[in-house]
Amino acid sequence: MNFRRTVPAWQLAAPALFVMAWGGNHFTPLLHMYESLGHYSALMADLFLGFYVVGLIPGLLVAGALSDRYGRKPLSVAGVAIGIAASILLGLGFSSEIMLSSGRFLAGLSVGVAMSVGTAWLKELSSAPFDRQADRTAGARRPALTLTIGFGLGAGVAGALAQWGPMPTLSPYLVHILLSLLVLPRLLRAPETVPRFRSHRPFWQDLAVPLAGHRRFVRVIAPSAPWVFGAAAIAYAIMPKLVEDQLGSLNLAFATLLTVVTLGTGALVQPLVARINQVTGGRALVVGMSVMLLGLVLSIATAIVLSPLLALITAITLGASYGICVVAGLVEIQRISTPADLAGITGVYYSLTYVGFLLPVLFAWLNSVASYAVLMSVLAAVCAGCLAAVAYGIRRV
């Protein structure tokens, strides 16, 4: 009976975000397995990542509006259930492109709910009256860290099971299904933060997000957003491909290592973002983008020398950029938003961040006309331009 009073409210909701993130990323280190055992082409394997992004869009943009109307908890329960359905399809569909694509779409939809609805919910649960001790950045730091740990552990456990465990094409998904079922009772005890009401206006009007036109969003947040998951995609989807000939049978294990190292580094730096903002006068995004540019320079070097050690260093650097940028971006979002539009603008923000996750598909398509070193060089030039735009926007707005 005392359990409900002693456990902070945000900790009742956080496990749902954790398992949804787990289900979104446990597929990523398995790409080499699908290419080698399932005989899928590299382009098809990257398209599985693409279907995930396609599923993210309605999860990010529609779920937030639905949660503003019907509440955070019902949408979060639905997100966990959708994640379970995704893992069932992925576990049973090893030989079916349709089942794998559908599973990845549903996984993206589930993660979209976690990012838009779950992030807004944890932010609300990290402030009064639910939490009177949380600091000002807790509402951005807690959901970002929960998602990052879920992404990292999901990939790490799945990769280890696929490399050394039984039933490598099935067991990673069984673990996620079991975890998801275990968190549901805890989720149902979490308090709702949205007042109960039923809007009488058409639903499509709820999808409008006027804050997307805010000067600070356009000039500061939007140019930095795609690099959040652009950093992650380069680190654990592109780097393993560059050095796979040097690794032989350990390619899957190395891909898993890069995923865990990238997201682990991101998790470690996230608590430092408040301090970085304090030291730099609110310019943590500029710091994160600068680290991203350094990571791209290291990526170019890795594409030239094809060194697994350099790929690991690159992943650490890109992971630091990811961790700084995602929290700094959420701090900026929560700075310009109100409770009425928090979920909607968070969904728009995360939609932009996942544009970067399409980089592996784009690079696989363009690799027939240009080397990865050349493609990375072009990307570094674009990053430098976005870095300049963010720095200028912060100074001017």
Side-chain angles (χ1 to χ4, degrees):
M1 287 300 205
N2 293 328
F3 181 76
R4 293 191 187 188
R5 292 195 293 270
T6 57
V7 176
W10 74 272
Q11 292 183 14
L12 294 174
L17 274 72
F18 171 81
V19 296
M20 285 187 273
W22 181 301
N25 210 40
H26 58 178
F27 183 89
T28 305
L30 308 182
L31 289 176
H32 181 70
M33 180 185 73
Y34 284 93
E35 293 175 17
S36 58
L37 297 182
H39 305 295
Y40 293 103
S41 66
L43 180 59
M44 190 66 224
D46 285 331
L47 281 175
F48 292 145
L49 294 178
F51 279 108
Y52 169 77
V53 177
V54 172
L56 273 166
I57 303 305
L60 289 169
L61 299 181
V62 179
L66 286 172
S67 75
D68 288 337
R69 182 177 287 219
Y70 299 111
R72 312 294 190 216
K73 186 192 294 188
L75 269 295
S76 297
V77 171
V80 172
I82 291 170
I84 292 173
S87 284
I88 292 173
L89 287 173
L90 292 170
L92 299 178
F94 181 76
S95 301
S96 169
E97 292 180 357
I98 294 176
M99 290 181 70
L100 290 177
S101 299
S102 300
R104 289 298 289 161
F105 175 86
L106 291 179
L109 187 60
S110 174
V111 173
V113 172
M115 287 183 155
S116 59
V117 178
T119 296
W121 197 14
L122 255 62
K123 192 274 179 186
E124 293 159 351
L125 291 174
S126 298
S127 57
F130 303 100
D131 190 338
R132 299 184 186 278
Q133 282 76 46
D135 58 61
R136 289 186 300 173
T137 63
R141 187 181 68 252
R142 286 170 175 173
L145 188 59
T146 301
L147 290 168
T148 300
I149 294 174
F151 287 141
L153 285 179
V157 172
L161 286 173
Q163 181 76 57
W164 297 293
M167 301 183 294
T169 64
L170 180 60
S171 57
Y173 306 111
L174 290 176
V175 172
H176 173 249
I177 292 170
L178 177 61
L179 288 174
S180 298
L181 293 173
L182 289 176
V183 306
L184 279 173
R186 192 180 185 92
L187 173 61
L188 294 174
R189 290 197 296 270
E192 180 59 72
T193 56
V194 175
R196 293 186 178 182
F197 74 99
R198 292 293 180 266
S199 174
H200 298 292
R201 67 178 183 173
F203 173 69
W204 64 267
Q205 293 183 6
D206 291 343
L207 298 177
V209 185
L211 269 184
H214 192 284
R215 290 176 64 203
R216 195 166 187 88
F217 186 89
V218 173
R219 296 190 182 188
V220 175
I221 300 171
S224 66
W227 303 100
V228 171
F229 285 108
I234 293 169
Y236 55 71
I238 294 179
M239 289 297 104
K241 287 186 177 181
L242 295 179
V243 299
E244 61 183 357
D245 291 339
Q246 280 71 36
L247 298 167
S249 61
L250 293 177
N251 189 276
L252 177 58
F254 187 72
T256 302
L257 174 65
L258 290 191
T259 305
V260 173
V261 165
T262 301
L263 295 169
T265 303
L268 289 174
V269 303
Q270 285 176 17
L272 304 177
V273 173
R275 179 61 177 165
I276 294 172
N277 259 331
Q278 183 180 10
V279 171
T280 62
R283 288 171 171 79
L285 271 178
V286 174
V287 175
M289 291 287 295
S290 299
V291 178
M292 177 70 196
L293 185 57
L294 174 60
L296 285 174
V297 172
L298 292 172
S299 299
I300 296 169
T302 303
I304 295 173
V305 303
L306 304 178
S307 164
L309 178 59
L310 189 53
L312 180 61
I313 296 172
T314 301
I316 294 172
T317 306
L318 292 171
S321 172
Y322 158 79
I324 296 170
C325 286
V326 68
V327 175
L330 286 173
V331 169
E332 292 285 349
I333 286 293
Q334 294 174 9
R335 174 181 177 178
I336 66 173
S337 64
T338 66
D341 50 28
L342 177 60
I345 193 63
T346 301
V348 173
Y349 168 67
Y350 270 126
S351 296
L352 292 176
T353 65
Y354 262 100
V355 171
F357 213 68
L358 293 174
L359 280 174
V361 180
L362 179 63
F363 275 32
W365 180 56
L366 293 176
N367 189 224
S368 60
V369 296
S371 68
Y372 273 91
V374 171
L375 294 173
M376 289 291 183
S377 299
V378 173
L379 192 63
V382 176
C383 181
C386 290
L387 170 59
V390 170
Y392 180 78
I394 288 177
R395 187 172 69 251
R396 294 289 295 177
V397 179

